[in-house]
Amino acid sequence: MSTVMQPRLTQVFRFVRCSYADGVAELVYAFDDGEELVERIRFPQAPTAPAQHASAFDAALKLLHLIAGVSYYKAGIPPKIDVATGPLDEATAELLDQLYLHGLAEFAYRNGLDLRGRIAFPRGGTAPSVAKAAGLPKRTLVPIGGGKDSLVAVEAIKAIGGEATAVWVGNSALIAACAERTGLPTLNIQRELAPELFELNRLGAWNGHIPVTAVNSAILAVAAILYGYDSITFANERSASAATLEYEGQQVNHQWSKGYAFEQLLGDWLHTHVASDLDYCSLLRPYSELAITRAFAKLTPYFDVFSSCNRNFRILGPKPADRWCGQCPKCHFVFLALGPFLPKPRLLSIFGRNLLDDENQAAGFDALLEYQDHKPFECVGEGAEARAAMYALSQRPEWQEDALIERFRSEILPQLDPAQLALEPWLEPSAEQRVPARLQPALKTIG
């Protein structure tokens, strides 16, 4: 990487080419006329791209190239986007415009940027013929993240005798342990970012949050065609669609690519551009975080392997000593959400401490409650959910002497409307979902 390149001063971000051979997808990008940035996705023990699904595979690979580019585009956010293969059809350009704008909204907020009107994928290409059914085997890829949600989805699919594979992207030993505990076949895909990206960061690139769930979704669309699966079934809850905050008239949602709007965009695009029988959905979409946590509280075999702690996913070695840092928003929220559904001693044994009896944790829980702060930029439930869980604990004698429960009762509760604090409404499913008919029975097993 040339040391004279200033990423923020570049004028064009280029999607150069993509290819697949011998289990490796290569995705190539560049700024202006600079050096190529080559990302590699490694699919283990992969067959050759199936000839009978050539057009479906090619479409999925091209979409992966376009979506994964968000990791590099954000380094410079130049004013022009160039796709070497030519302009995109309307549906593809719209999907990408929405993803880059909303998926980078947190990035823009933190960097004081406004991307509205700046992101414009080239349009005007001919729409392909509507994709036909590819005759994919009736089995499901279930992404595993190491936390409670994906394990609830796994068990729901197992309960109806569905054929499924636990899949994840990356090297996390913790996720691997969770995947193994499910008893399902496993598939571990590797994503290798272009090393030059880190040099760009050193040279002053813009940096921040990207919609990684969208990237992983595109990787799994390629995997579904490559290995033969008719469903990619995430475990994203309805709370993921709720914005974190509003910034200069734009909704900023840390979880946008886990939300229902993106699920609809990508699911429809896969049906029309890749294969009409390739379904993309979230099995847990009808449920709140609290409803999912209640379901997880029954899955005791996972208690000693799961973790939702994002800090630990960054720092864990092969044999982690502690799965919960006890300091981050994910630890705070999972502790609080599990509280109403587990005996207190069992909850404390999972975390190894009582987070609600530590005055130093007050600010973290305040943010979850949206008390004097906005919801954290993390995959956590809505503020009203957190308030309902905290209220439920405040009514139970075994919790009332804990420092933060006592503080909630004396300082925060008097400012709230008790009619808005009931736990029960959060446990009811909504009608919003696009789960395929084959997996609909699994919804009835959650609760």
Side-chain angles (χ1 to χ4, degrees), residues 68 70-72 74 103-104 107 191 208-213 215 254 257:
V70 72
S71 295
Y72 306 91
K74 66 122 171 49
L104 290 175
F107 157 85
R191 182 187 184 202
H209 175 76
I210 66 151
V212 69
T213 298
V215 177
H254 173 80
S257 64

Side-chain angles (χ1 to χ4, degrees), residues 63 67 95 131 217 221 232 259-282 434:
L63 183 73
I67 287 182
L95 167 63
S217 297
I232 302 162
Y260 194 51
F262 177 72
E263 179 183 329
Q264 291 175 294
L265 279 170
L266 182 57
D268 289 346
W269 190 93
L270 291 173
H271 278 162
T272 57
H273 288 67
V274 177
S276 62
D277 55 341
L278 175 57
D279 290 311
Y280 172 82
C281 72
S282 170
R434 49 184 298 139

